[in-house]
């Protein structure tokens, strides 16, 4: 089992910044991939950014150039730095971690942290 706890959400004005954190209950070296998703009521959960094997970094087109995903192995934590926030970035942000153990792929999710961008 892997537990994930997000923090760092809040209310900001357009153009503002936030940094989301996701604390993972185990060493990040045991995590296959990790990422940040946004969830808006009535819409499909959308992947914004991910760290994948082979040092691959993924960003959706909507956040490329504005958001940065990073990790701190010593703290078992990964982050999402969100700059130049737009009202359409308003969503519940969830962190995700995937493991592969004994050939079985498993997804784990945090409960989310709310980001509201409004003037």
């Amino acid at each position: 089992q892997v537990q994930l706890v997000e923090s760092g959400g809040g209310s900001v004005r357009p153009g503002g910044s936030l940094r989301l954190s996701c604390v993972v209950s185990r060493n990040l070296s045991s995590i296959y991939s990790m990422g940040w998703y946004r969830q808006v009521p009535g819409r499909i959960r959308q992947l914004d950014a991910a760290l994948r094997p082979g040092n691959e970094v993924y960003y959706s087109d909507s956040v490329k150039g504005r958001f940065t995903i990073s990790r701190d192995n010593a703290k078992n934590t990964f982050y999402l730095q969100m700059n130049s926030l737009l009202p359409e970035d308003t969503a519940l942000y969830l962190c995700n971690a995937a493991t592969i153990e004994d050939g079985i792929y498993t997804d784990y999710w945090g409960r989310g942290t709310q980001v509201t961008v409004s003037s």
Side-chain angles (χ1 to χ4, degrees):
Q1 283 288 334
V2 178
Q3 285 78 47
L4 308 174
V5 180
E6 303 97 336
S7 63
S11 295
V12 295
R13 296 188 182 277
S17 297
L18 286 172
R19 189 177 81 154
L20 307 183
S21 300
C22 180
V23 179
V24 184
S25 64
R26 67 163 70 167
N27 195 305
L28 294 187
S29 63
S30 69
I31 303 298
Y32 177 74
S33 67
M34 57 198 80
W36 288 96
Y37 288 72
R38 67 173 73 185
Q39 179 75 66
V40 176
R43 296 188 181 179
I44 296 173
R45 188 173 293 181
Q46 173 185 320
L47 175 63
D48 274 350
L51 295 173
R52 294 170 171 166
N55 293 320
E56 179 185 345
V57 183
Y58 166 85
Y59 294 103
S60 69
D61 287 342
S62 62
V63 308
K64 200 172 294 183
R66 300 189 298 122
F67 292 8
T68 303
I69 188 170
S70 63
R71 61 193 283 174
D72 185 334
N73 292 339
K75 296 182 178 179
N76 291 348
T77 302
F78 63 100
Y79 305 94
L80 187 68
Q81 178 67 44
M82 311 165 72
N83 297 330
S84 302
L85 282 161
L86 305 169
E88 50 262 44
D89 293 320
T90 295
L92 181 70
Y93 284 77
L94 303 104
C95 63
N96 164 271
T99 61
I100 298 179
E101 297 175 335
D102 298 325
I104 298 173
Y105 180 98
T106 305
D107 270 319
Y108 298 92
W109 296 91
R111 293 188 175 186
T113 184
Q114 179 68 36
V115 171
T116 301
V117 185
S118 173
S119 56

